[in-house]
Amino acid sequence: MQLSRRKFLLRGAALASAPMLGGPIRLASASGGQYRLRAGAASIPLLGAGAPQTQVWAYNGAVPGPIIRLHRGERLDVDFENTLQRPTTVHWHGLRVPNNMDGVPALTQAPVAPGGRFRYAFDLRNTGTYWYHPHFQSAEQVDRGLHGVIIVDDEVAPLVDRDLLWVLDDWRLDPKGQIVADFGNFHDASHQGRFGNTASVNGRVPEDLHVRTGERIRIRLVNVANAWIFGLDFSGHAPTIIAYDGHAVTPHGPPGGLVTLGPSQRVDVILDMSGEPGERFEVLDRYYPRRQYKLLDLVYEKKRLRLNRLADDVTLPAPDLVKPDLATAKRHRIVFSGGAMGGMQSARFKEQETTVPELARMGKIWAINGTVASRHDEPAMLKLALGRSYILDFVNETAFTHPVHLHGHPMLVLEANGQVPAQTTWRDTLLVDPRSRISVAILADNPGRWMLHCHIPEHQEAGMMAVVDVA
Ligand code: C2O
Ligand code: CU
């Protein structure tokens, strides 16, 4: 990879020193890749100064948790401590970690008991924007505030004036600003999952973002909501997408005009501030046509930063991933069924064919290939040979959209809802629309037992998960 002089060396650039929306985000106390992470109860000013604080569960007392930021090739070494009253684990979403570091309870490790510790250590093999969260009772633990971001830097990055992080979330709050604790109720589980009533950016109800004419901003968008899909409209501006789920993509405008992120997905965008001094623009969330709202305002300061926008190339270095061999790839069909209005009659549950009313009585309602999961360490649904390539056809026979997530293996998108993507696209999570299909290719190069599940934890816990064995 040739170093173009249009790129600048990023080494040492500190995201935490950049003004970030929603107040400062701290870097985890780190020395040479070593971090301390503590899960525990905390309170945060979610609704802003003057409003009551919101009781949450958090990493190191903050929502989002500390940013872990290292370079590709470095080793991350986390001393994790659980001060919650519940067991938990930490999953490193989207990172290609060894199986025993993947943080899946029962499947890859015993849950970390209250008061317990666990050491997570692995090499960072790919650059990009990733995140971490519990994989134990995720519907409650992630929703209560346990999530943080990992940024893996390359030697080079596009030249920008500011590198910002927007962790997008939604909260179901009562009138006192406290989290409504009806986690995993059957209505949410059988419909679209847990929707909130309050959106946040970086753990705060969003505030204006002050910008300057001519400024170039990179925004790392991360959707940590349980179920809400964000579709951002940067009105009056032309965002350029440079990465999906951490992996570089040929820069392009958002398909359909909206920067869309399903639960757990990330999108890195470049935003050139093309407005005039003193102007104000809305950033809208328009994914759900009947639930549109303004996320925040872009407010132009009186003094411009420069006259003409930067002409520099914003292309990121190509992902360091080996492409699956499509010529020899074996095909597997993976069918998602169940849920309200899904028409499912029965499914296998704990080795028994079980009717939907019986399943519903046990809080289960979703199936993958006809099987409703009861636990993380289910018998393997798929057995893949180490080193071989596979095509997976995700078929959604339900009435809802599902963010389908595979652990340990980035997926090369071949066809999504009838269309071949215009750019080479790698993802760790795919939004599969109702009654449609997405085909991906993977190289089964990471041995172990890996989760395949819907990233709406209400769906996952109501049966929509499976185990893929790579050996
Ligand atoms: Cu973000 Cu199975 O996880
Ligand atoms: Cu789902």
Side-chain angles (χ1 to χ4, degrees):
M1 157 62 49
Q2 225 198 331
L3 280 189
S4 140
R5 68 189 161 76
R6 294 213 171 117
K7 308 257 171 92
F8 82 127
L9 285 169
L10 190 79
R11 210 168 247 300
L15 191 82
S17 70
M20 252 178 295
L21 203 68
I25 292 184
R26 292 169 300 137
L27 279 171
S29 51
S31 56
Q34 297 194 302
Y35 289 79
R36 299 190 59 157
L37 206 59
R38 185 178 25 80
S43 59
I44 59 160
L46 172 64
L47 299 178
Q53 298 245 327
T54 303
Q55 306 302 312
V56 298
W57 295 351
Y59 292 116
N60 296 7
V63 178
I67 297 170
I68 293 174
R69 188 164 197 174
L70 289 166
H71 280 85
R72 181 157 68 110
E74 287 187 295
R75 189 164 179 82
L76 172 62
D77 188 339
V78 176
D79 176 9
F80 173 69
E81 185 188 356
N82 180 15
T83 70
L84 299 164
Q85 311 288 316
R86 310 279 183 85
T88 192
T89 63
V90 187
H91 169 60
W92 310 92
H93 184 111
L95 290 171
R96 293 195 298 150
V97 301
N99 193 246
N100 63 352
M101 292 288 121
D102 202 40
V104 179
L107 190 70
T108 71
Q109 69 169 99
V112 185
R117 299 181 100 94
F118 194 88
R119 183 151 169 230
Y120 292 97
F122 47 84
D123 297 328
L124 297 165
R125 300 167 65 188
N126 293 95
T127 55
T129 307
Y130 302 92
W131 66 297
Y132 57 92
H133 62 79
H135 221 287
F136 187 88
Q137 296 173 353
S138 320
E140 174 166 10
Q141 295 198 0
V142 181
D143 190 79
R144 283 196 186 271
L146 288 165
H147 44 76
V149 169
I150 306 175
I151 295 171
V152 185
D153 285 314
D154 216 316
E155 293 297 316
V156 291
L159 178 64
V160 294
D161 296 301
R162 281 191 285 171
D163 185 350
L164 300 184
L165 173 65
W166 289 11
V167 176
L168 305 169
D169 200 358
D170 72 331
W171 304 75
R172 185 177 288 181
L173 298 179
D174 68 17
K176 294 193 173 113
Q178 303 307 315
I179 298 168
V180 180
D182 58 344
F183 301 104
N185 69 73
F186 195 67
H187 185 272
D188 287 348
S190 58
H191 291 75
Q192 82 273 63
R194 180 182 177 88
F195 275 2
N197 51 23
T198 308
S200 70
V201 176
N202 298 340
R204 280 288 270 273
V205 168
E207 299 154 5
D208 294 345
L209 178 67
H210 290 268
V211 300
R212 292 173 72 185
T213 301
E215 195 180 13
R216 173 168 280 179
I217 297 177
R218 173 176 182 167
I219 310 178
R220 299 167 189 264
L221 298 159
V222 184
N223 181 358
V224 302
N226 284 25
W228 191 264
I229 301 169
F230 289 85
L232 301 188
D233 175 351
F234 290 88
S235 59
H237 293 78
T240 302
I241 293 173
I242 57 169
Y244 285 118
D245 293 351
H247 304 295
V249 68
T250 303
H252 63 282
L258 297 184
V259 180
T260 301
L261 298 98
S264 88
Q265 292 186 318
R266 285 88 62 215
V267 180
D268 286 32
V269 300
I270 297 286
L271 204 57
D272 282 308
M273 308 317 307
S274 51
E276 290 299 316
E279 284 194 302
R280 177 181 275 268
F281 293 87
E282 296 186 326
V283 178
L284 304 162
D285 178 5
R286 300 206 290 109
Y287 183 81
Y288 303 98
R290 286 189 303 279
R291 298 174 190 239
Q292 304 191 17
Y293 65 97
K294 182 182 85 176
L295 187 69
L296 55 91
D297 280 324
L298 303 175
V299 181
Y300 278 78
E301 294 186 351
K302 300 232 156 43
K303 275 175 69 180
R304 58 178 74 235
L305 183 66
R306 59 176 70 84
L307 269 178
N308 298 309
R309 55 170 264 180
L310 293 174
D312 305 56
D313 184 14
V314 294
T315 308
L316 292 166
D320 186 11
L321 295 169
V322 179
K323 279 208 180 160
D325 177 13
L326 298 182
T328 61
K330 191 168 172 219
R331 226 175 171 116
H332 287 289
R333 198 176 140 87
I334 299 171
V335 180
F336 298 82
S337 58
M341 301 163 287
M344 187 169 81
Q345 304 293 314
S346 69
R348 270 191 315 284
F349 180 64
K350 296 182 176 168
E351 257 90 270
Q352 300 274 323
E353 195 65 24
T354 309
T355 67
V356 161
E358 281 177 87
L359 287 168
R361 246 175 279 130
M362 296 177 282
K364 304 292 174 189
I365 194 68
W366 303 97
I368 304 182
N369 284 357
T371 295
V372 177
S374 64
R375 47 178 217 265
H376 279 94
D377 56 338
E378 288 278 314
M381 181 194 76
L382 273 184
K383 289 191 197 266
L384 306 183
L386 184 63
R388 284 206 55 173
S389 295
Y390 294 87
I391 294 173
L392 307 178
D393 295 317
F394 298 128
V395 180
N396 180 358
E397 291 184 345
T398 80
F400 296 91
T401 297
H402 302 284
V404 173
H405 174 48
L406 175 66
H407 287 208
H409 299 80
M411 301 178 278
L412 178 67
V413 183
L414 302 179
E415 191 188 315
N417 308 320
Q419 286 190 309
V420 178
Q423 296 83 21
T424 302
T425 304
W426 296 89
R427 300 219 71 146
D428 57 54
T429 307
L430 290 149
L431 266 185
V432 192
D433 286 334
R435 313 216 149 87
S436 59
R437 184 184 62 129
I438 293 186
S439 299
V440 300
I442 62 163
L443 174 63
D445 64 350
N446 199 350
R449 295 194 293 161
W450 303 100
M451 296 297 305
L452 171 73
H453 65 91
C454 175
H455 214 286
I456 297 173
E458 293 77 27
H459 292 179
Q460 180 198 340
E461 289 168 10
M464 202 176 251
M465 62 177 157
V467 171
V468 176
D469 201 339
V470 176

